[in-house]
Amino acid sequence: MADKDNDPAAAWQAMFGEMSKGFTTLASQAMASPEIAKAVGQVGGATAEAQKQFGEMVEKYLAGLNLPTRAQMDDFGARLSAIEARLDQLTTAINQGRNTAATPKPPHAK
């Protein structure tokens, strides 16, 4: 068994744990400040807008290449699943019809 006092991994883990605690404390104190919280909110809003614009740009690019977007592929997948489910229903109905037709009927008394 390794000696914990001489184990570099244990020392690294302890140092990282202490740094993490310090960072969490600093971040908590910073977010308590209204100015910092407002700035973080503005950055978050700007990031969301940038993601939206990037998504629109990618969609136009894919349309230019005549390739489907993710939303279109999801729609195709849903439609394909619905078609497969309907085919399963039809196959079951056909098999039931065949089984009914193949069952011998009792002779009728006259």
Side-chain angles (χ1 to χ4, degrees):
M1 188 174 274
D3 183 14
K4 288 193 175 197
D5 292 335
N6 294 328
D7 185 11
W12 177 257
Q13 200 172 26
M15 182 183 74
F16 185 75
E18 290 301 315
M19 286 174 45
S20 179
K21 287 179 192 174
F23 180 74
T24 301
T25 302
L26 178 65
S28 296
Q29 290 171 351
M31 288 303 290
S33 165
E35 295 84 12
I36 299 287
K38 182 179 176 184
V40 168
Q42 289 173 343
V43 168
T47 301
E49 181 61 29
Q51 286 178 337
K52 179 182 171 191
Q53 289 178 357
F54 181 75
E56 291 171 356
M57 181 184 69
V58 168
E59 192 171 319
K60 288 177 185 177
Y61 179 74
L62 291 174
L65 294 174
N66 201 23
L67 295 172
T69 63
R70 181 182 189 117
Q72 289 171 327
M73 290 302 295
D74 289 343
D75 184 50
F76 293 152
R79 290 173 56 196
L80 182 58
S81 293
I83 291 168
E84 289 173 339
R86 183 67 180 138
L87 283 174
D88 289 341
Q89 291 172 349
L90 291 172
T91 302
T92 301
I94 290 170
N95 288 336
Q96 287 175 348
R98 284 183 185 158
N99 292 339
T100 303
T103 305
K105 296 187 177 164
H108 295 290
K110 289 188 178 179

